[in-house]
C-alpha cells in the first residue's frame, strides 16, 4: 500500500506579464495550480489553471486592467495551499 503524505508547502511566487492593452495576463505558476486575479476591492477579475506540464497560464479579462491599477495574484495548489 502506498500512502501520500500531505502537502503543506505554499506554491512558489508566480510570475505574470500583461499584454500591451491590459486585456490579458500570461505567466507561470505551480503546475496544475489555480491562478486567480482580484482587484484590491476584492472583485475577481479572472482565473485559470496553470498547465500541468509547464505551469504556463493565460487569464483574459472582461475589462482591460490599465492605468496603473493594482491587482492581486493568488495561486492555490491542489492541496489548497496558497
Amino acid at each position: 500500500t502506498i500512502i501520500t503524505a500531505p502537502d503543506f508547502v505554499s506554491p512558489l511566487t508566480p510570475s505574470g506579464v500583461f499584454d500591451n492593452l491590459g486585456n490579458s495576463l500570461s505567466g507561470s505558476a505551480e503546475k496544475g495550480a489555480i491562478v486567480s486575479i482580484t482587484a484590491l476591492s476584492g472583485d475577481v477579475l479572472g482565473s485559470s489553471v496553470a498547465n500541468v506540464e509547464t505551469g504556463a497560464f493565460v487569464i483574459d479579462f472582461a475589462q482591460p486592467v490599465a492605468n496603473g491599477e493594482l491587482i492581486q495574484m493568488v495561486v492555490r495548489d491542489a492541496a489548497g495551499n496558497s
Side-chain angles (χ1 to χ4, degrees):
T1 302
I2 298 173
I3 300 172
T4 303
D7 174 4
F8 298 114
V9 179
S10 296
L12 296 175
T13 302
S15 65
V17 176
F18 287 102
D19 71 351
N20 290 341
L21 299 176
N23 291 319
S24 66
L25 180 81
S26 59
S28 63
E30 182 175 314
K31 298 173 183 177
I34 297 171
V35 181
S36 299
I37 303 297
T38 58
L40 295 185
S41 65
D43 294 337
V44 176
L45 302 177
S47 65
S48 179
V49 175
N51 183 285
V52 296
E53 294 181 8
T54 65
F57 68 87
V58 175
I59 298 173
D60 295 317
F61 303 115
Q63 299 292 321
V65 178
N67 300 321
E69 182 178 354
L70 298 176
I71 61 165
Q72 182 176 19
M73 184 182 331
V74 176
V75 177
R76 187 170 309 279
D77 64 18
N81 302 312
S82 59

